Amino acid sequence: MIERITAFLITCIITVCSWLDIPCAPLGKEVDMSKFSITFEEEFDGELDRSVWSGHYQYGKTSEARKGSYWNQYLAYTEKGKLVIPIVYLEEGMGGKEAGWYTAGIDTDEDSPNSFSQKFGYFECRCILPKGADVWSAFWLMNDGVYNEDGDGRDGTEIDIFESDRYEKILNHSVTSNLHFDGYNEAHQKMGAKAFSTGNNPYEEYNTYGLEWNENEYIFYINGKETFRTNYGGVSQNEEYVILSVEMRGEEGIPSQRENAPSEEQESKFIVDYVKVYQYKDLMK
């Protein structure tokens, strides 16, 4: 009974914070790692393994417009045991596109020879966020079922474990989590982003962002502590692959250029220490 009351109060606090656009501190339990065994571990030692990580919706060396920037997978690289995804202004353009802001999105989908996807388990990333208004990084899961316009998220949901889209906010040491399904046109449905503080400066210091996903619900974490849980839309019952990405607000490669956005002389970086995925031990028997 006490646990139910506590969970209800936490839900009320999160709801009020969402209405007021104020990030909550993680208020829930610590993640119980004893339930899991590791199935995927990427610590980015050596060169980026492009047999595992390929471009997300970009192919070969070509660039593709992504919001107010362009994605080119070859801008992602490793350095000193970290993945680095910069966002940088290129006067000469890259990959067949013109001058503009360039960055990357990479994933582990079936286009990768050694692709990785998984249904259920615990997914975690440790990273430092890129600086600048209009710039945001993300750690998210995806599958093709997201595009099915059937009123149901069970065949596939875009699961945004975190997005760093609050740099320009007064309380900017925070991230958001969200869910999307039924494609991205008129039928599109989304949960509505929930914002949570990291407790430090996430643009200078590392944090971990995690998701526990089972057949009944999604449970989100920051630094191993629960932020919130939901079954919005019906929980995805299909395997999903991992995505790491950076982008800039805008459309068709043209940035929105709001105050505090990076200047053309600046370069901002998304630095990822590791990505680890675990499966429930009882599902591995």
Side-chain angles (χ1 to χ4, degrees):
M1 179 63 72
I2 293 176
E3 287 188 356
R4 289 183 180 179
I5 294 173
T6 300
F8 174 75
L9 290 174
I10 290 173
T11 300
C12 290
I13 292 170
I14 292 169
T15 301
V16 171
C17 286
S18 295
W19 288 342
L20 298 175
D21 194 28
I22 297 173
C24 289
L27 297 172
K29 296 180 179 179
E30 297 286 333
V31 60
D32 179 6
M33 295 305 297
S34 68
K35 299 183 292 186
F36 303 106
S37 290
I38 197 158
T39 54
F40 178 86
E41 185 171 16
E42 175 64 90
E43 296 190 331
F44 301 107
D45 295 323
E47 292 186 8
L48 180 60
D49 188 347
R50 297 189 183 274
S51 74
V52 175
W53 299 94
S54 58
H56 186 58
Y57 298 150
Q58 78 233 238
Y59 307 96
K61 296 185 177 181
T62 61
S63 300
E64 298 293 339
R66 175 68 177 189
K67 304 292 186 179
S69 52
Y70 295 98
W71 270 351
N72 189 297
Q73 63 177 307
Y74 286 95
L75 277 176
Y77 64 93
T78 55
E79 182 178 69
K80 298 178 180 179
K82 316 293 182 189
L83 171 71
V84 180
I85 303 181
I87 182 163
V88 58
Y89 190 86
L90 299 178
E91 285 281 1
E92 303 299 321
M94 183 180 186
K97 301 296 183 182
E98 59 213 28
W101 287 94
Y102 283 78
T103 184
I106 57 175
D107 66 33
T108 64
D109 78 354
E110 59 187 11
D111 291 326
S112 307
N114 294 320
S115 62
F116 173 83
S117 60
Q118 183 172 296
K119 178 176 71 173
F120 308 148
Y122 182 70
F123 300 72
E124 186 176 80
C125 170
R126 183 174 187 262
C127 59
I128 294 176
L129 310 180
K131 299 177 182 179
D134 289 344
V135 175
W136 79 92
S137 56
F139 172 46
W140 44 307
L141 307 181
M142 184 78 171
N143 76 2
D144 289 342
V146 174
Y147 295 95
N148 296 336
E149 297 181 1
D150 55 8
D152 196 334
R154 288 178 294 182
D155 52 356
T157 295
E158 176 191 319
I159 309 170
D160 298 325
I161 300 173
F162 88 82
E163 293 185 277
S164 65
D165 55 353
R166 297 179 60 85
Y167 185 86
E168 76 282 9
K169 302 288 186 179
I170 295 174
L171 301 174
N172 65 355
H173 291 176
S174 59
V175 297
T176 59
S177 301
N178 208 342
L179 302 171
H180 302 261
F181 62 93
D182 274 3
Y184 298 95
N185 297 314
E186 290 184 4
H188 171 244
Q189 298 190 57
K190 64 179 180 178
M191 178 181 65
K194 304 291 190 293
F196 293 90
S197 60
T198 60
N200 62 7
N201 183 347
Y203 309 101
E204 300 285 350
E205 301 172 72
Y206 284 101
N207 292 283
T208 62
Y209 305 94
L211 168 77
E212 182 176 349
W213 165 26
N214 58 52
E215 62 181 345
N216 298 313
E217 63 185 347
Y218 307 110
I219 309 170
F220 294 83
Y221 296 87
I222 294 177
N223 295 323
K225 192 162 189 177
E226 182 182 333
T227 55
F228 76 108
R229 58 180 65 200
T230 183
N231 61 2
Y232 176 82
V235 174
S236 176
Q237 303 294 306
N238 291 328
E239 291 187 351
E240 305 209 7
Y241 56 85
V242 175
I243 310 168
L244 296 166
S245 63
V246 180
E247 56 195 82
M248 180 174 280
R249 284 188 177 88
E251 295 293 336
E252 300 298 325
I254 301 173
S256 57
Q257 295 182 324
R258 294 188 300 175
E259 186 179 357
N260 296 325
S263 70
E264 295 179 6
E265 294 76 31
Q266 292 176 310
E267 179 179 307
S268 187
K269 295 179 180 179
F270 180 31
I271 302 172
V272 181
D273 184 28
Y274 67 70
V275 173
K276 296 180 181 181
V277 181
Y278 303 78
Q279 185 55 278
Y280 291 100
K281 290 177 180 178
D282 59 357
L283 292 181
M284 299 178 71
K285 295 177 181 178

